[in-house]
């Protein structure tokens, strides 16, 4: 229903107040016909990109190289700095160290540092993927097997 959907242009709340992270993910994605496995696979898209203060307000890191982290201050492929309006512009806070490479690092990076690297962002909804029993098995699978992640991501994305 309209009441259940976020305002136009906004993403569902990464910091749900009335639900656990796992409940929130299921509330948002099960109504779209997606399974728990789909949710975890599609969450792996966080291996790309960053969150920005100006867009979501979920981080203090904003636009520009001086407002990024050690991973996002400059584009890794344009050390002299990318144009301010391009995908590789500096700033924001990423989920992974190499935020322009699509791989399974969203899963492996978390298991290496348990979400404690202050230069990487990690929401309660991300944390739910490693604490909820049903999500956790897929998270571990994708950390161990990048090809399985790619296969499942492609399948889920097509849905």
């Amino acid at each position: 229903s309209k009441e259940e959907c976020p305002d136009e242009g906004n993403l569902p709340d990464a910091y749900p107040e009335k639900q656990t992270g796992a409940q929130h993910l299921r509330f948002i994605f099960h109504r779209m016909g997606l399974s728990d496995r789909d949710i975890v696979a599609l969450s792996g898209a966080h291996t790309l990109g960053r969150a920005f203060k100006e867009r979501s307000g979920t981080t203090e890191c904003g636009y520009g190289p001086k407002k990024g982290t050690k991973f996002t201050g400059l584009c890794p492929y344009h050390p002299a700095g990318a144009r301010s309006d391009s995908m590789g512009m500096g700033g924001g806070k990423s989920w992974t160290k190499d935020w322009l490479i699509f791989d399974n690092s969203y899963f492996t990076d978390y298991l290496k540092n348990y979400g404690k690297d202050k230069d990487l962002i990690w929401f309660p909804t991300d944390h739910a993927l490693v604490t909820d029993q049903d999500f956790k098995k897929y998270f571990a699978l994708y950390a161990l097997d990048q090809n399985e992640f790619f296969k499942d991501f492609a399948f889920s994305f097509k849905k």
Side-chain angles (χ1 to χ4, degrees):
S1 74
K2 184 174 180 169
E3 294 78 32
E4 296 174 315
C5 295
D7 293 335
E8 185 66 34
N10 292 322
L11 295 171
D13 192 0
Y15 292 102
E17 293 179 17
K18 298 177 183 168
Q19 300 171 313
T20 67
Q23 289 169 332
H24 184 68
L25 287 169
R26 289 185 176 106
F27 174 74
I28 297 297
F29 294 104
H30 281 184
R31 65 186 173 172
M32 296 178 201
L34 298 171
S35 68
D36 285 356
R37 188 174 188 135
D38 295 324
I39 292 169
V40 180
L42 293 172
S43 294
H46 282 159
T47 195
L48 293 173
R50 299 152 291 161
F52 292 90
K53 179 180 182 176
E54 296 86 351
R55 291 188 189 163
S56 66
T58 56
T59 176
E60 289 301 311
C61 297
Y63 295 135
K66 293 183 180 172
K67 295 183 180 177
T69 69
K70 66 184 177 187
F71 304 118
T72 64
L74 291 175
C75 174
Y77 300 102
H78 301 282
R83 293 187 349 250
S84 63
D85 62 345
S86 71
M87 181 177 166
M89 70 178 182
K93 197 169 195 179
S94 60
W95 284 263
T96 64
K97 296 172 186 176
D98 294 316
W99 47 271
L100 286 172
I101 297 174
F102 188 71
D103 59 15
N104 69 337
S105 62
Y106 171 75
F107 306 103
T108 60
D109 282 359
Y110 180 84
L111 294 179
K112 287 177 190 168
N113 67 47
Y114 299 103
K116 294 180 183 171
D117 187 327
K118 66 180 177 52
D119 287 305
L120 298 175
I121 198 162
W122 202 254
F123 297 135
T125 47
D126 296 302
H127 186 67
L129 301 177
V130 294
T131 56
D132 179 89
Q133 291 303 316
D134 293 323
F135 289 146
K136 187 169 143 176
K137 60 188 174 190
Y138 302 117
F139 195 96
L141 172 66
Y142 300 148
L144 291 172
D145 190 337
Q146 181 168 273
N147 288 331
E148 188 71 17
F149 164 58
F150 287 164
K151 180 180 71 70
D152 285 357
F153 181 86
F155 177 80
S156 300
F157 190 80
K158 288 179 188 177
K159 284 185 172 182

